[in-house]
Amino acid sequence: MQTANLPPNEDALYKEPVTLLNSGKTLKRLKAIEDISYACSNLFTSDLVTVAHNVLKPFCELTGTDYGVVLLLKKPEEQIYIVASYGFPEKFEETYNNKLKFTLHSKDVSESWPSLRSIFKKQIILIKNTETMNVGYSRFFRQSIGKNKISSIASVPIVVNNHSVGAITLYFKKQHEFDDEELSFIKATTNIITGTIERNHLLEAAKKSELELKQANEVLKQVNQELDSFVYIASHDLREPLRTIESFVSILQAKLSNNNDKEQSGYFNRIVNATQRMRRLIQDLTNLARASRDNKDKEYEEIDLNNILTEIQFELTAFIQSKNAEIILPDRLPKVMGDREKISSVLKNLIANGIKFNKSKTPRVCVSLSEDANFDPGKVCICVEDNGIGIEKDYQEKIFGLFQRLHSQDEYEGTGAGLAIVKKILEKYGCAIWVESEKGKGSKFYFTLPRMQLRKYSDHG
Ligand code: ADP
C-alpha cells in the first residue's frame, strides 16, 4: 500500500509541477478542476453532503473510476456514512448506511479498509494492485458490485481545519496506474473541496454573528424605547402629586405665617426647596426622555447656529449680568442640520455651565468653530471654552453620566442631568461630545453636529 502525505490547505498543484506529457488528458483534467472549482464557488454551504454531490461525478468521470464514494465521519457516534456515490446501484447510500454498523476504531477495520486508513492517517492511500494486499470490503459493498472485481483503489482524506472529516474513495475494475499528474489532480480537487467547506464555515459563522448582532440591536432599541416611554409617562404622572403638595404647602404656609415660629418656617422652607428640586429633577427626566424621541418634521431642519447663539445670549442676559460674565461668539458658523430646539438646548447648557462652574471675576465663555483635517467632513465641530474651575482627568468621562455631579448643591446648584441630556441629543445624530480640561485651568467642550449638505446643481432644476 502506498501513501502520499496530504498537508491540509496546501495547493498541491503548485507543490508538484505537472509534466505536460499527455496534453489532451491534461487539458481535460484542468477543465475538470475548473468545473469543480466553479461548482464549489457557487456553493454557499459548509455541508459536506452538498459539496460531495457536486464534485464526485466530475471527479470520477475524469479519473476513469468505475465506482466512487464520499464518506463522512459523523461525530459523536464516530460512524461512517456514505454521503454520495458513483457507479453503484440506486439507493446505494441509503441501504449501505442503514446496514453498516461497525466500531470505527476496531483495528481490523481501520487497517484493511483504505477509506478509514486515509481518514485516520490523513494521507492519500493508493493501491495499484489489490491482489497484493489484504483489502477489506463490507458484504453489502461486495453485493453491490456483483461479479466485478476491484483491482485498484485510491482514497483521499478530506481534511477541514486540520481534522479529518471524511474521504473520497475511488475503485477501479481494471488495474490503474496513478501517474504524478493524476495524483496532483486528485490533491487539487480535494483542496478545492476542503477550501469550499472551510470558506463556507467562516461565512456561516460571520452571518450568524451578524444576525445575532442585528437581533441584539433590535432588542436593545426596543428596550430603550420602552424605557424612554416609561420615563416620559412617569415624569408626567409625578407632576400631578407634586403640584398637590406644593399647593397645600403654600396654603399651610399662609395660614401659619402669623405665628412667627422660626423652627416651623425653617421646615416649610426645606419642604419648598425639596419640592422645587423635585420639580427640576422631573423636568430633567422629561427632557432626557424627549432627547431621544423622534420629532419627524423637525429632526433635520436647517439651522443657523449664529442665530441660535444670539438668542441664547439674550435668554441668559440676567444670568450673565449677575455673574459679570462675558460670552464671545464667532463671526460666522457653517449651517448645520437637526432639531432646532434640541441643538439650542445643547449650546445653552454648555454656555451656562461655563459661567456657572467658574470662580473667575469675569467668567468668560468663548464659542468657536474647531477645524481639523482629521474630522469627518460631514460634521461641524464646535468648541465651547471657559475660564472656569476645570475638571480633573479622572472625572472627564463621568460627568456625561446621568445625575453625575462633582460638587454639592451648596457649591453649585444643579441636578447633574444637563450633560447626559446633551450627550443623548448628539448621539441621536451620530455625533459626539468630549472635554479637554485641567483642574483650575478652564475647560474646552467639543461637540459635532451634522453639516448642512449643499444641494446638487440638478436640485435647482
Ligand atoms: P449640573 O450642571 O446640573 O450639575 P451637568 O450634567 O450639566 O449637571 O454637569 C455635570 C457635572 O459636570 C457638574 O456638576 C460639574 O461638576 C461638571 N461640569 C460641567 N460643566 C463644567 C464646566 N464647564 N466646568 C467645570 N465643571 C463642569
Side-chain angles (χ1 to χ4, degrees):
M1 198 180 297
Q2 281 182 16
T3 62
N5 282 334
L6 179 73
N9 293 332
E10 203 167 308
D11 194 336
L13 263 184
Y14 289 103
K15 200 179 156 221
E16 288 174 26
V18 175
T19 330
L20 298 178
L21 285 176
N22 191 344
S23 61
K25 221 177 190 181
T26 306
L27 277 179
K28 260 193 183 171
R29 283 172 179 168
L30 288 175
K31 174 82 180 62
I33 290 184
E34 198 189 325
D35 289 349
I36 291 171
S37 147
Y38 180 75
C40 286
S41 70
N42 287 327
L43 286 177
F44 290 101
T45 173
S46 58
D47 179 12
L48 183 61
V49 181
T50 318
V51 180
H53 273 286
N54 279 270
V55 297
L56 186 64
K57 195 163 173 260
F59 193 63
C60 290
E61 279 173 359
L62 210 100
T63 43
T65 314
D66 298 293
Y67 304 102
V69 287
V70 177
L71 297 129
L72 178 62
L73 181 64
K74 273 205 181 162
K75 296 201 166 180
E77 330 93 83
E78 295 246 307
Q79 290 255 2
I80 279 282
Y81 291 86
I82 291 185
V83 291
S85 70
Y86 173 84
F88 289 99
E90 233 182 282
K91 299 210 167 163
F92 172 75
E93 292 108 282
E94 228 174 89
T95 329
Y96 184 96
N97 292 336
N98 286 338
K99 287 199 173 189
L100 197 80
K101 296 262 182 288
F102 57 85
T103 329
L104 269 189
H105 292 294
S106 130
K107 200 159 183 294
D108 303 342
V109 171
S110 58
E111 280 295 312
S112 64
W113 287 33
S115 308
L116 297 188
R117 203 178 155 85
S118 79
I119 290 176
F120 290 129
K121 299 248 181 228
K122 290 194 211 164
Q123 285 173 338
I124 295 182
I125 306 291
L126 295 179
I127 304 171
K128 285 188 186 171
N129 184 359
T130 50
E131 279 175 9
T132 60
M133 27 206 331
N134 167 29
V135 179
Y137 304 102
S138 73
R139 195 184 302 156
F140 180 66
F141 180 92
R142 282 185 192 285
Q143 282 169 9
S144 303
I145 61 170
K147 286 199 177 105
N148 291 323
K149 183 173 135 264
I150 301 296
S151 304
S152 301
I153 302 174
S155 185
V156 190
I158 300 172
V159 183
V160 175
N161 295 332
N162 220 7
H163 293 286
S164 263
V165 294
I168 302 182
T169 307
L170 311 174
Y171 301 92
F172 300 84
K173 286 196 259 185
K174 281 199 194 130
Q175 201 165 319
H176 192 85
E177 287 299 321
F178 298 96
D179 60 42
D180 280 356
E181 186 190 287
E182 191 170 33
L183 201 61
S184 291
F185 167 71
I186 291 174
K187 283 183 185 179
T189 312
T190 325
N191 282 349
I192 294 171
I193 298 171
T194 54
T196 306
I197 296 169
E198 278 173 4
R199 181 199 67 192
N200 288 325
H201 260 305
L202 287 176
L203 272 177
E204 277 165 20
K207 262 194 212 152
K208 197 171 159 226
S209 44
E210 195 185 323
L211 186 74
E212 280 171 357
L213 190 69
K214 211 171 150 201
Q215 283 169 343
N217 270 338
E218 290 288 316
V219 173
L220 195 67
K221 211 170 142 194
Q222 204 179 332
V223 169
N224 275 339
Q225 270 170 2
E226 279 167 14
L227 194 67
D228 281 340
S229 303
F230 168 75
V231 172
Y232 196 75
I233 293 164
S235 53
H236 264 266
D237 291 353
L238 283 172
R239 280 165 206 248
E240 189 45 44
L242 186 65
R243 214 171 287 137
T244 315
I245 295 171
E246 281 174 333
S247 39
F248 279 105
V249 167
S250 64
I251 294 169
L252 273 177
Q253 240 177 340
K255 277 196 170 181
L256 303 169
S257 61
N258 295 333
N259 63 8
N260 259 344
D261 186 331
K262 278 202 173 158
E263 199 182 354
Q264 223 171 49
S265 75
Y267 290 151
F268 274 119
N269 282 343
R270 283 165 80 171
I271 296 174
V272 171
N273 283 344
T275 48
Q276 278 171 355
R277 187 162 161 69
M278 196 169 198
R279 179 171 288 286
R280 278 204 300 274
L281 281 169
I282 292 172
Q283 184 58 47
D284 280 344
L285 279 177
T286 317
N287 289 343
L288 185 77
R290 210 177 268 153
S292 57
R293 284 198 157 214
D294 288 334
N295 189 349
K296 289 274 177 309
D297 309 333
K298 294 180 161 187
E299 245 8 70
Y300 283 95
E301 348 174 65
E302 180 178 326
I303 301 176
D304 183 337
L305 289 173
N306 294 84
N307 251 339
I308 288 190
L309 285 167
T310 318
E311 278 171 23
I312 293 173
Q313 196 173 25
F314 181 71
E315 281 170 38
L316 293 177
T317 309
F319 184 50
I320 294 171
Q321 283 175 357
S322 71
K323 297 274 182 179
N324 192 31
E326 183 189 4
I327 301 184
I328 302 162
L329 298 182
D331 280 346
R332 213 60 244 138
L333 286 175
K335 292 234 172 98
V336 295
M337 289 187 300
D339 179 327
R340 197 173 195 281
E341 206 180 308
K342 286 179 184 168
I343 304 300
S344 171
S345 79
V346 168
L347 276 160
K348 192 170 170 183
N349 219 302
L350 296 176
I351 294 172
N353 275 354
I355 301 173
K356 180 165 73 168
F357 298 102
N358 206 314
K359 283 183 175 159
S360 143
K361 277 194 187 134
T362 24
R364 198 178 324 110
V365 178
C366 176
V367 183
S368 62
L369 178 69
S370 180
E371 280 168 304
D372 189 317
N374 293 327
F375 286 160
D376 173 354
K379 302 261 161 60
V380 169
C381 184
I382 308 288
C383 174
V384 180
E385 183 178 0
D386 64 58
N387 60 345
I389 58 171
I391 304 155
E392 271 181 63
K393 258 230 144 2
D394 289 353
Y395 301 114
Q396 289 177 8
E397 287 243 343
K398 198 178 161 196
I399 54 169
F400 295 102
L402 185 59
F403 301 139
Q404 297 291 333
R405 311 197 72 232
L406 308 180
H407 310 276
S408 68
Q409 281 305 317
D410 301 337
E411 275 183 286
Y412 300 100
E413 259 199 8
T415 58
L419 290 178
I421 295 171
V422 163
K423 191 168 183 237
K424 205 164 182 190
I425 291 175
L426 295 172
E427 278 174 351
K428 195 160 168 35
Y429 291 100
C431 294
I433 179 161
W434 64 100
V435 63
E436 281 175 11
S437 181
E438 232 179 277
K439 198 173 177 194
K441 295 196 175 165
S443 310
K444 281 181 183 176
F445 281 85
Y446 293 92
F447 67 97
T448 55
L449 287 173
R451 189 184 287 276
M452 176 76 208
Q453 301 295 327
L454 288 175
R455 282 209 190 112
K456 287 183 207 136
Y457 288 119
S458 56
D459 291 350
H460 295 286

